[in-house]
Amino acid sequence: MGEGAALARESCYNQEYKTRLNSLNQDKKSAEILRKMENGDGFYITPLPYNSNDHINCILSEQKNSCNRVNLIESASLIKVYNFINPSYGDSVVFAETTNGVLLIASPSSGEGENPEINLISVNKFGLVKSITLDASKNILINQKYEILYKEHGKDYKLKLNSEGEFVK
């Protein structure tokens, strides 16, 4: 009975292992499908959650095409469609529109002292543009609810992108 129980337990572990592997593969496939989704203007979207460290590290990487968490878009390409983008910005990312039709773009730049910054630019359904610039060295996070989490002067802050495309506390 001991040997049969051990075989049954091993079979159970093998089945659990296969189930977990299958689940991981499904998650990977889902993430890959998300990475290939385009917005209405033909740009690949970056899925949320967003992490500015991933964005900056991808830009600094010698193999930009292999970044797996962000879809970089050259500012020259964005300017052709979005004339409000500053040509001095680095490779940006575009997120899926909110349920209220607000477009959000994250564009890196250098601030005073060459500190990396992330410029968050929103465009509401009426075409009104709002922007905010945050210190990227503090690791800016944007969750699936379009809440922007960041640090400034040692304090934690949270902004939310409202239905009008404004960044509100």
Side-chain angles (χ1 to χ4, degrees):
M1 183 166 154
E3 188 175 321
L7 286 174
R9 199 172 25 247
E10 185 176 324
S11 175
C12 184
Y13 289 138
N14 286 339
Q15 184 60 36
E16 182 179 339
Y17 177 76
K18 288 177 185 176
T19 302
R20 286 184 183 185
L21 265 180
N22 192 25
S23 175
L24 287 173
N25 286 335
Q26 290 296 350
D27 290 346
K28 191 174 180 179
K29 287 177 187 173
S30 297
E32 189 58 33
I33 289 169
L34 252 180
R35 283 187 39 76
K36 298 300 179 195
M37 288 180 54
E38 293 181 0
N39 72 359
D41 296 317
F43 295 112
Y44 286 124
I45 61 169
T46 291
L48 294 173
Y50 164 83
N51 180 324
S52 65
N53 284 348
D54 293 336
H55 189 167
I56 300 300
N57 289 337
C58 184
I59 289 171
L60 297 174
S61 169
E62 292 181 21
Q63 299 170 338
K64 292 181 183 182
N65 293 336
S66 67
C67 297
N68 61 359
R69 294 199 170 124
V70 295
N71 288 313
L72 293 180
I73 304 166
E74 293 178 359
S75 61
S77 297
L78 284 176
I79 290 170
K80 292 176 185 174
V81 177
Y82 308 129
N83 62 356
F84 50 83
I85 297 290
N86 187 324
S88 68
Y89 290 165
D91 294 345
S92 302
V93 297
V94 175
F95 304 102
E97 285 186 7
T98 66
T99 55
N100 296 314
V102 176
L103 172 69
L104 182 62
I105 301 169
S107 300
S109 63
S110 293
E112 294 177 22
E114 298 299 311
N115 287 336
E117 296 177 333
I118 294 291
N119 304 285
L120 295 175
I121 306 154
S122 69
V123 184
N124 70 15
K125 58 188 169 193
F126 302 112
L128 297 174
V129 178
K130 302 284 183 183
S131 67
I132 186 170
T133 301
L134 301 171
D135 182 354
S137 68
K138 305 296 185 201
N139 194 20
I140 301 157
L141 303 172
I142 304 174
N143 64 24
Q144 287 92 345
K145 297 178 183 177
Y146 289 86
E147 295 172 330
I148 300 134
L149 309 162
Y150 65 100
K151 286 186 182 251
E152 194 171 277
H153 306 296
K155 292 184 180 181
D156 291 332
Y157 288 94
K158 179 168 83 171
L159 298 174
K160 181 140 177 107
L161 189 61
N162 73 11
S163 62
E164 301 302 316
E166 298 168 324
F167 301 97
V168 294
K169 291 184 180 183

